């Protein structure tokens, strides 16, 4: 009887402790972060863009005429009108404990200060985990028309 009571108490204790939720995979985390920042750029949401990028963020695109820092990107966010539709596969690679790369091709539609964006591009993003949050550190886009 005593053994049954002890077993019942231990079982109740085990069942009462909530199971530790599994952390989403690296791929899921990066794709979620990409989707959020892509939406912020499409909506021209400067505060969201700033919150989802590192302060030393660099963007290299054909329409920016070279590498541009975050200040430039924020100042001209209203001049970028676009949609970006990724073309599978989207490849996520870990390159360190808190660094990952996302690579894919995308269909592009829109313009920057009236300059038409390439219709198709190869895109590479570098993500850095800062204080538990994935932030975009580099965005590079190469036209592949």
């Amino acid at each position: 009887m005593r053994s049954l009571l002890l077993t019942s108490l231990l079982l109740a204790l085990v069942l009462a402790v909530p199971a530790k939720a599994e952390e989403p995979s690296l791929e899921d985390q990066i794709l979620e972060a990409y989707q959020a920042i892509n939406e912020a750029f499409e909506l021209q949401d400067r505060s969201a863009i700033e919150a989802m990028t590192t302060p030393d963020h660099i963007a290299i695109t054909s329409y920016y005429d070279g590498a541009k820092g975050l200040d430039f990107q924020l100042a001209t966010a209203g001049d970028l009108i676009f949609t970006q539709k990724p073309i599978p596969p989207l490849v996520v690679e870990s390159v360190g404990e808190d660094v990952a790369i996302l690579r894919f091709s995308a269909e592009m539609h829109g313009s920057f200060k009236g300059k038409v964006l390439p219709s198709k591009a190869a895109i590479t993003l570098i993500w850095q985990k800062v204080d538990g949050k994935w932030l975009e550190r580099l965005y590079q886009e190469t036209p592949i028309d």
Side-chain angles (χ1 to χ4, degrees):
M1 182 71 160
R2 180 178 251 185
S3 170
L4 181 60
L5 181 59
L6 186 57
T7 302
S8 296
L9 286 173
L10 286 173
L11 182 59
L13 243 167
V14 167
L15 294 176
V17 175
K20 184 177 179 180
E22 276 191 41
E23 186 172 313
S25 70
L26 174 66
E27 181 177 14
D28 289 344
Q29 292 176 54
I30 295 300
L31 293 177
E32 182 179 326
Y34 161 71
Q35 184 176 3
I37 198 165
N38 191 47
E39 184 176 302
F41 271 99
E42 286 182 8
L43 296 173
Q44 302 171 352
D45 185 341
R46 288 172 178 86
S47 60
I49 293 166
E50 187 171 21
M52 290 185 263
T53 56
T54 61
D56 59 348
H57 184 271
I58 297 292
I60 304 167
T61 73
S62 58
Y63 50 88
Y64 281 168
D65 295 322
K68 300 295 183 190
L70 183 58
D71 289 342
F72 175 87
Q73 294 168 69
L74 294 174
T76 61
D79 297 323
L80 179 60
I81 300 164
F82 87 110
T83 58
Q84 185 179 85
K85 182 182 175 191
I87 301 168
L90 284 75
V91 178
V92 176
E93 298 174 273
S94 174
V95 292
E97 186 175 329
D98 293 328
V99 179
I101 294 175
L102 171 60
R103 294 180 294 111
F104 59 94
S105 295
E107 292 178 4
M108 310 279 289
H109 302 281
S111 63
F112 177 71
K113 292 187 175 184
K115 184 176 183 179
V116 176
L117 275 57
S119 60
K120 192 172 179 187
I123 298 174
T124 301
L125 300 98
I126 296 179
W127 293 89
Q128 180 178 4
K129 197 170 198 179
V130 178
D131 297 328
K133 183 178 177 185
W134 285 104
L135 303 178
E136 187 180 284
R137 184 168 185 160
L138 174 119
Y139 174 93
Q140 182 172 0
E141 174 187 296
T142 305
I144 54 175
D145 287 334

